Amino acid sequence: GAVVSQHPSWVICKSGTSVKIECRSLDFQATTMFWYRQFPKQSLMLMATSNEGSKATYEQGVEKDKFLINHASLTLSTLTVTSAHPEDSSFYICSARGGLDYNEQFFGPGTRLTVL
Amino acid sequence: GQNIDQPTEMTATEGAIVQINCTYQTSGFNGLFWYQQHAGEAPTFLSYNVLDGLEEKGRFSSFLSRSKGYSYLLLKELQMKDSASYLCAFMDSNYQLIWGAGTKLIIKP
């Protein structure tokens, strides 16, 4: 099956710093990538949808200047949390869609972000 | 509007059978997904139904009724490792997944 990787798996940073999370589709071309955030004991919350080569579409309530998304190629999307604060601590998960089965989304393993 | 609903938590016994229900409302529909998520991990794909009926895959089966806006995930011969959250999601007319809040399944010996 299709494989999606994320890096880093976990990160701890100081308040005010920026953190970049990478999402890669390893064996298929991802026409669309999704970024989710999940707080403890809650379901996935879609943050934004990005198509290769175009600007990301952000969900209501998600600050696009704070959560910068770049989808420069068909295999790589990045999420940068700028000026991170403790309330940004969460589990960030990317998923990718593409390949033979357009409907299925393949999830990365997630990135645990802790902001001190 | 769109909405999706599933029970918050269920408990079952090892070796038994459990059915997790999911109901949804949407004007545009492109299929219903079930994912399994263990604590601290990303979701993993279990099943996809776009036509009415039952799809069987080993110990797991998924059912869909589009006219009723209803799906269920059936888990047979429960094992302790099946303790996890089970997320249902439908794909809307924009091919975007709309997620339920997840059902936490607790398996007892």
Side-chain angles (χ1 to χ4, degrees):
Chain A
V3 179
V4 176
S5 70
Q6 266 183 256
H7 178 79
S9 300
W10 58 270
V11 58
I12 301 174
C13 69
K14 293 182 179 180
S15 184
T17 60
S18 294
V19 175
K20 179 185 283 189
I21 304 170
E22 290 187 352
C23 177
R24 293 181 184 272
S25 57
L26 299 185
D27 52 3
F28 69 102
Q29 292 186 324
T31 51
T32 306
M33 285 187 169
F34 304 86
W35 286 96
Y36 293 88
R37 181 169 51 184
Q38 187 175 36
F39 293 105
K41 299 184 179 180
Q42 294 186 23
S43 189
L44 299 171
M45 291 172 48
L46 180 66
M47 299 175 67
T49 302
S50 73
N51 294 296
E52 184 264 340
S54 62
K55 290 183 179 181
T57 302
Y58 289 81
E59 295 300 301
Q60 193 172 7
V62 178
E63 300 173 58
K64 62 179 181 181
D65 294 330
K66 181 172 181 61
F67 299 98
L68 302 178
I69 293 172
N70 183 279
H71 191 168
S73 77
L74 285 171
T75 59
L76 173 64
S77 177
T78 60
L79 167 68
T80 301
V81 183
T82 62
S83 187
H85 291 285
E87 56 265 31
D88 299 323
S89 299
S90 186
F91 191 44
Y92 291 86
I93 310 171
C94 74
S95 70
R97 184 173 71 199
L100 295 178
D101 188 345
Y102 183 76
N103 285 344
E104 188 173 345
Q105 289 185 25
F106 302 96
F107 283 86
T111 298
R112 176 78 56 192
L113 171 64
T114 301
V115 184
L116 302 177
Chain B
Q2 298 177 324
N3 65 73
I4 184 166
D5 191 43
Q6 56 182 127
T8 304
E9 187 174 294
M10 298 182 71
T11 303
T13 305
E14 188 177 18
I17 299 173
V18 71
Q19 177 174 311
I20 303 173
N21 296 323
C22 175
T23 57
Y24 64 90
Q25 283 184 314
T26 179
S27 55
F29 180 79
N30 279 301
L32 192 291
F33 293 80
W34 283 96
Y35 283 82
Q36 180 191 61
Q37 186 178 26
H38 285 99
E41 298 180 11
T44 54
F45 172 78
L46 289 179
S47 68
Y48 170 62
N49 295 66
V50 67
L51 300 176
D52 290 350
L54 186 68
E55 295 275 346
E56 297 187 74
K57 193 184 294 184
R59 294 189 299 114
F60 293 4
S61 302
S62 57
F63 172 84
L64 175 67
S65 169
R66 289 172 296 171
S67 63
K68 295 182 180 179
Y70 168 68
S71 174
Y72 68 72
L73 180 69
L74 190 71
L75 293 78
K76 302 177 184 176
E77 303 170 16
L78 286 170
Q79 302 174 9
M80 297 304 293
K81 67 178 182 179
D82 297 330
S83 292
S85 286
Y86 291 85
L87 309 174
C88 70
F90 68 83
M91 183 168 281
D92 67 12
S93 55
N94 295 318
Y95 294 96
Q96 181 164 304
L97 282 178
I98 308 300
W99 294 88
T103 298
K104 182 178 181 181
L105 178 62
I106 300 169
I107 310 295
K108 295 185 176 180

